[in-house]
Amino acid sequence: MGFSGTNRHWFIIGAEFPVGQCLAKLASELALPYSSRRLDSREQPTVPMGMSATPLAIIATSGEDDESAGHIAEWIELLIEQDIPLVLLSSAKVFDYNEVGSLEDDEMTGDMGLISLENQARKQLRHLIVRVNQPFSLLSGDFAVQLLAKARSEDTLKLDNLIRIAPTPADDIAQVIHALLQQISCDESLWGTYHYCSVESTTEYGFAEVLLAEARQYEDLAHVTLEELDDDECAPSETILDSKLIKHTFGIKPKPWRQALSRLMRSYYRADQKSE
């Protein structure tokens, strides 16, 4: 019998993080069975009584700090012991910075903690590793929220306009994970590692320009000006991922981030107005 990723009970691990929140919202909208777990929870991934769906785990945040990496490693160990298929969200930081991008099978010489988690996940035969660039959501303290907070408190923002980034909406990442799991049921050879990021790269400066233009429709930020950092102050952080494999294998096309930012800003300010 073939694997079905969308008829299984999703355990969303790291549900407090933006991609986890987006996955839970998506599962609710599609009436998919799911349970949420905080990353630091040790509650067993047990399907609720009376449900026939078998489990699948989605680790919805990457281990880019030691504390998160430790929790993720413990979860992966538990999932392997119970032979539960898993999806691991990872990062372009497994590669050293490379302006022209990296492919899935390129040598990983970047963040050793992330590399270790990926290698651990591969011990589970049924695994998906989804590497992404700079997720943003406006749901928590991600870099988009941090930029907006700085704009409210400072008259001038000095930003990198040299190093390319690929800001990628968290809800797009959730949609991509769902699409991958839908198609895995057709061909189990599709398990493996894939890249996804927005179609148009920019710089931190370029992203801030668009973010401020959107925000000024809702609040007075006319006083804020942007300045470019000197080139020698610009520090490369992560490469732009090449998303050709996910497009050619699954037909998943990267989306532009500008429209997504506009949509998320509308939701962000609506939520602000409701809380007042």
Side-chain angles (χ1 to χ4, degrees):
M1 184 176 176
F3 179 90
S4 175
T6 52
N7 291 331
R8 292 196 169 218
H9 187 99
W10 287 5
F11 287 103
I12 304 171
I13 299 166
E16 70 272 30
F17 294 97
V19 174
Q21 293 178 52
C22 293
L23 281 165
K25 180 181 178 184
L26 179 62
S28 294
E29 290 171 351
L30 298 176
L32 300 175
Y34 78 97
S35 300
S36 296
R37 299 285 190 275
R38 289 184 57 85
L39 188 62
D40 59 3
S41 169
R42 288 299 170 265
E43 185 180 350
Q44 291 289 316
T46 305
V47 175
M49 290 288 293
M51 296 199 67
S52 59
T54 50
L56 163 83
I58 305 172
I59 300 176
T61 186
S62 59
E64 295 185 20
D65 61 78
D66 291 342
E67 183 177 2
S68 294
H71 291 312
I72 291 171
E74 290 184 40
W75 274 112
I76 294 173
E77 182 179 0
L78 176 64
L79 297 170
I80 291 173
E81 285 175 1
Q82 298 191 14
D83 194 27
I84 295 176
L86 69 94
V87 180
L88 174 67
L89 193 67
S90 190
S91 164
K93 292 179 181 176
V94 298
F95 302 112
D96 283 332
Y97 182 76
N98 174 359
E99 286 188 33
V100 297
S102 289
L103 301 170
E104 281 81 348
D105 57 359
D106 283 350
E107 183 181 5
M108 296 180 292
T109 56
D111 187 309
M112 296 308 298
L114 290 172
I115 293 168
S116 176
L117 291 175
E118 286 195 6
N119 288 336
Q120 184 185 3
R122 291 186 180 97
K123 295 177 183 177
Q124 166 58 273
L125 181 63
R126 287 173 166 171
H127 71 267
L128 281 172
I129 295 169
V130 184
R131 295 177 183 146
V132 299
N133 281 108
Q134 295 97 353
F136 71 90
S137 62
L138 295 167
L139 291 173
S140 63
D142 62 14
F143 76 98
V145 173
Q146 291 170 18
L147 274 174
L148 192 54
K150 285 183 70 175
R152 288 166 171 162
S153 62
E154 301 176 20
D155 290 337
T156 303
L157 302 183
K158 294 191 72 174
L159 301 169
D160 180 337
N161 200 23
L162 176 67
I163 307 301
R164 308 300 295 180
I165 64 172
T168 305
D171 55 355
D172 278 2
I173 296 169
Q175 292 277 0
V176 165
I177 289 171
H178 174 253
L180 292 173
L181 291 172
Q182 279 185 305
Q183 295 188 55
I184 285 281
S185 62
C186 303
D187 185 352
E188 291 203 42
S189 70
L190 299 177
W191 293 102
T193 302
Y194 298 93
H195 292 171
Y196 182 79
C197 66
S198 292
V199 69
E200 179 192 1
S201 67
T202 185
T203 62
E204 185 182 38
Y205 184 100
F207 182 82
E209 279 189 313
V210 180
L211 182 142
L212 286 175
E214 292 290 339
R216 283 171 176 147
Q217 299 177 54
Y218 305 97
E219 65 176 299
D220 183 9
L221 295 172
H223 64 283
V224 182
T225 60
L226 301 180
E227 291 184 7
E228 297 182 22
L229 278 176
D230 293 337
D231 287 358
D232 58 1
E233 296 181 83
C234 299
S237 58
E238 60 187 82
T239 189
I240 303 297
L241 294 171
D242 187 311
S243 299
K244 289 190 181 72
L245 182 61
I246 202 169
K247 179 180 178 182
H248 293 159
T249 305
F250 295 96
I252 295 172
K253 297 179 181 179
K255 298 178 182 179
W257 56 267
R258 293 169 187 267
Q259 290 92 322
L261 179 59
S262 179
R263 167 172 49 80
L264 292 172
M265 291 293 275
R266 286 195 299 272
S267 297
Y268 174 80
Y269 281 98
R270 278 202 303 268
D272 263 9
Q273 290 164 3
K274 288 178 183 176
S275 66
E276 290 176 356

